[in-house]
Amino acid sequence: MYQSSFLLVVFSFIVGCSGSQKINYQDIEKQLQTQLILSQDGDTIHLEEGHFKFSGSISLDDKKNIVIKGAGRDKTFLSFKGQSEGSEGLKISNCENLTLLDFTIQDSKGDCIKVQLTNGLIIRNVKAEWTGKPQETNGSYAFYPVDCENVLIEHCIAIGASDAGIYVGQSRGVIVRYCEAYHNVAGIEIENCVRADVYENLAHCNTGGILVFDMPDLTQAGSHVRVFNNIIKHNNFRNFAPEGNIVHEVPPGTGVMVLATNDVEIFDNQIINNKTIGTAIVSYLLVQKKHDDPNFDPYVKGVYVYNNDYKRKFWYLPTFQYDMGKLMFWKFPFSAPHIIFDGILNPELVESNGLYGDKYRICFGDNGGAKFANVDGGNDFKNVKKNDPDYQCDRNKLDAVVLNL
């Protein structure tokens, strides 16, 4: 009797651990698309509990005050695995006051959720993921609002994006908070946005934790971005972005990177065990050198990094597969600073003392004893300065972002 019971337990354990159980997918593709097309302003579209498979993109256009609500992030699953039509999973454009909440979206060919030209967007308690091994054939973005206004993303999870898990681009008025991003190339990326707050998020096990970038050939320049009260740790994952993407240049082991943008504050974050660099403040000229946009300013200006908690295990070595990692080891063997600035300034804005004036000045405040360095990137890294006193300064602080939702 004892032996039979023991064998039954062992058999049950083996069956339970031998692989995932077969999922019974339901087909609601035509039904859901019809609901979205026929929805009236103010409607709520309910997604029931279950697993639902889609062969093509689901779209919503030109609607106001629509809510798309699932039964819960762990109850409603929209799968686009094997998608044969379109690229995005959920594609939304030209809407006003849209809310997405309480579901999981998986394995789209391109971006999981793309929202364009929308004023008033709330994405809450949604998971967007690629369920297999992180690889360059995964879609670029899990969450992808672009050219929007008044964007709130909260209590969301992003996994497996070959560019950025949570990306907001060319938008005005953005808050990303209480989210988790892991196994993406970039965990959270704010690109060419004006007025964005990124706070109380967990960005871990990505290639780079949080990026604040400006890129050329886009509709607006970014400014007024605050990154604070986040946990940004162990972002040492391999870079699996397709070659040619700008994030392909981000070295594994990057906590925060600020590239070619204006008026950024980084404060009150825990930036922990990112092996190559805790925070990098760099110009576009350092990573790409050339661009064809006459309106693009490649220099970084008006950055303030203060009151962050930096930690890194002493045996962590920077990646040697990227130039920044080689530079860190070459210039700072076994004693790399947590913060670097490339030292490349716009010559048209430099004053007689060789620095920017107060409007554009880059400042490193008290970061609990963490070291920083000016690596003199514009002069072939010849005159590296640790804790350069010219950059130990304070700036006026940016105002909190307030959304009109």
Side-chain angles (χ1 to χ4, degrees), residues 238-276:
R238 60 185 173 80
N239 191 319
F240 57 98
E243 192 168 353
N245 288 16
I246 187 65
V247 294
H248 184 75
E249 305 300 324
V250 176
T254 299
V256 180
M257 180 177 284
V258 177
L259 174 70
T261 191
N262 284 308
D263 296 331
V264 178
E265 281 187 17
I266 302 167
F267 62 98
D268 292 342
N269 300 285
Q270 297 181 54
I271 304 176
I272 301 170
N273 288 338
N274 304 287
K275 67 180 182 179
T276 298

Side-chain angles (χ1 to χ4, degrees), residues 312-328:
R312 182 172 57 233
K313 296 184 186 301
F314 72 88
W315 62 82
Y316 275 18
L317 294 178
T319 177
F320 298 134
Q321 297 176 315
Y322 284 73
D323 289 342
M324 185 178 291
K326 294 174 184 176
L327 173 69
M328 297 300 287

Side-chain angles (χ1 to χ4, degrees), residues 11 42 49 73 150 176 190 205 238 335 340 390:
F11 176 75
E49 181 174 346
R73 204 166 58 194
N150 297 299
V176 179
I190 304 297
C205 301
R238 60 185 173 80
S335 63
I340 66 162
D390 288 335

